[in-house]
Amino acid sequence: MISRPGAISENRTVVLADDHTIVRQALRNILVEIPHTDVIAEANDGLETITLCKALMPDFLTLDSDMPMARGMEVFVEVRRWSPETRICLVTGVTARGHLAEWIAAGVDGIAFKSCPTEDMQACFSLVLEGGKNFTPAVLRVMESLEARPEITLRERQILHLIAEGNTNAEIAKRLSLSPKTVDNHRTKLMGKLGVHSMAQLLSYALREGLL
């Protein structure tokens, strides 16, 4: 949705992407306070975001990580492809360390939580608009407060996903062509690595860290 069809701006152009109107309005209110910045379009799904960025090649994009039609990381890759000069800031409600690490590794220019103070988000946007990288203090606290995640093997990750689906050891063993004893050993080793002592703690950790 283009805000002012046909408008040409000499300011830094911005596209807002989020499937919630109230979030886009809040982001617009923050951005209008940043000098020489003009919100030229809004998108409420992933495909619309890609289409707008391909057509408009904005200077700046605020992007949600979970939208209809195309997920945030898919949108990120496509926008980088079609509009490589666009600065991209993730604005997300997901606080899992693993999720944030994935975006940082992909090369996103900034990250802000939707729950962060307005002044932190505005500071983040301002620096990214100027060509820098910035992560709000809340994002940095999440990344720095937790120890590095233990290395989890592919087999352990497969078993974790099957556990989350509610499969028993016997069912997992059948799916992976293993013995139930081997599955139980993997489960025990995984819980030891993560420092958890129950299935509830294991699944809670996996969700918090973006492993599922």
Side-chain angles (χ1 to χ4, degrees), residues 45-106:
D45 66 58
L47 290 182
E48 186 179 20
T49 305
I50 295 168
T51 300
L52 285 172
C53 289
K54 184 177 178 180
L56 301 174
M57 295 188 176
D59 298 307
F60 185 65
L61 168 68
T62 67
L63 178 62
D64 188 14
S65 58
D66 188 14
M67 291 189 296
M69 307 301 289
R71 296 184 68 82
M73 189 57 74
E74 296 172 298
V75 176
F76 177 81
V77 170
E78 287 301 303
V79 172
R80 278 282 191 258
R81 175 185 176 193
W82 295 107
S83 185
E85 299 304 314
T86 298
R87 309 287 295 168
I88 302 175
C89 187
L90 175 70
V91 181
T92 181
V94 181
T95 61
R97 183 182 183 277
H99 178 77
L100 301 177
E102 180 183 11
W103 280 89
I104 292 171

Side-chain angles (χ1 to χ4, degrees), residues 95-122:
T95 61
R97 183 182 183 277
H99 178 77
L100 301 177
E102 180 183 11
W103 280 89
I104 292 171
V108 74
D109 300 300
I111 303 178
F113 292 144
K114 291 179 180 180
S115 59
C116 78
T118 297
E119 56 269 25
D120 289 350
M121 192 174 291
Q122 188 176 83

